[in-house]
């Protein structure tokens, strides 16, 4: 019975009182701004890919794939941030996982020689900056304690 109760409390949303605390509100505002920046950069990059599609040196098949994946992950990250701000523990967990995976993927893309054009590596660095800040924020002590199962 304790296992069932523990499982239930782990999936229960965070209380409105804790979510509406001024520090929680400020933290989620920062989270949404960082994710919004990541999403904005990602969408602008996809627009650039479409505009440069006839330049085979600038837009390789890998650029198309990566650009599309980044927009999809940024959109998913944004949705998770919105749900986490509403108290969803599962969305918060996903937010932590996605930001960590994307930071590692961006680092790999920047480090891989020749796989992507220089402009795409620079764009990935621009995406990485808000993602690193976001990863630090969502993995910080305050949000971890806010979403800890009680």
């Amino acid at each position: 019975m304790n296992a069932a109760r523990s499982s239930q409390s782990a999936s229960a949303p965070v209380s409105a009182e804790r979510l509406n605390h001024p520090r929680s509100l400020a933290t989620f505002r920062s989270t949404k701004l960082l994710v919004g920046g990541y999403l904005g950069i990602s969408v602008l990059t996809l627009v650039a890919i479409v505009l440069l599609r006839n330049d085979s040196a600038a837009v390789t098949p890998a650029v198309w794939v990566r650009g599309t994946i980044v927009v999809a992950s940024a959109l998913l990250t944004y949705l998770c941030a919105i749900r986490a701000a509403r108290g969803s523990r599962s969305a918060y967990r996903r937010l932590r996982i996605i930001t960590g995976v994307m930071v590692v993927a961006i680092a790999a893309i920047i480090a891989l020689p020749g796989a992507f054009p220089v402009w795409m590596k620079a764009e990935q660095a621009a995406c990485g900056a808000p993602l690193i800040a976001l990863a630090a924020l969502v993995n910080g002590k305050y949000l971890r304690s806010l979403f800890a199962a009680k």
Side-chain angles (χ1 to χ4, degrees):
M1 182 148 189
N2 284 343
R5 221 180 261 157
S6 174
S7 171
Q8 186 179 12
S9 67
S11 64
V14 176
S15 73
E17 179 184 343
R18 294 181 74 201
L19 289 173
N20 291 319
H21 185 277
R23 184 163 179 198
S24 298
L25 293 172
T27 302
F28 286 123
R29 188 174 21 260
S30 296
T31 299
K32 288 185 261 186
L33 283 171
L34 289 167
V35 175
Y38 170 49
L39 178 59
I41 294 167
S42 302
V43 169
L44 288 174
T45 300
L46 195 55
V47 169
I49 291 169
V50 170
L51 294 174
L52 296 170
R53 68 185 174 273
N54 294 326
D55 183 348
S56 61
V59 180
T60 63
V63 168
W64 275 106
V65 170
R66 180 65 188 163
T68 305
I69 288 171
V70 170
V71 169
S73 76
L75 188 55
L76 181 63
T77 305
Y78 189 78
L79 293 173
C80 286
I82 297 289
R83 288 193 58 229
R86 292 179 185 155
S88 170
R89 284 184 168 85
S90 61
Y92 170 68
R93 220 174 8 259
R94 286 185 202 103
L95 185 59
R96 290 181 69 191
I97 292 167
I98 293 167
T99 56
V101 168
M102 291 308 293
V103 166
V104 170
I106 286 171
I109 285 169
I110 293 170
L112 287 174
F116 292 92
V118 173
W119 76 267
M120 183 69 160
K121 290 182 180 208
E123 179 276 339
Q124 288 291 281
C127 278
L131 268 180
I132 290 169
L134 180 63
L137 188 61
V138 300
N139 287 294
K141 185 178 179 181
Y142 182 75
L143 282 184
R144 283 184 295 125
S145 69
L146 183 68
F147 285 96
K150 299 278 177 182

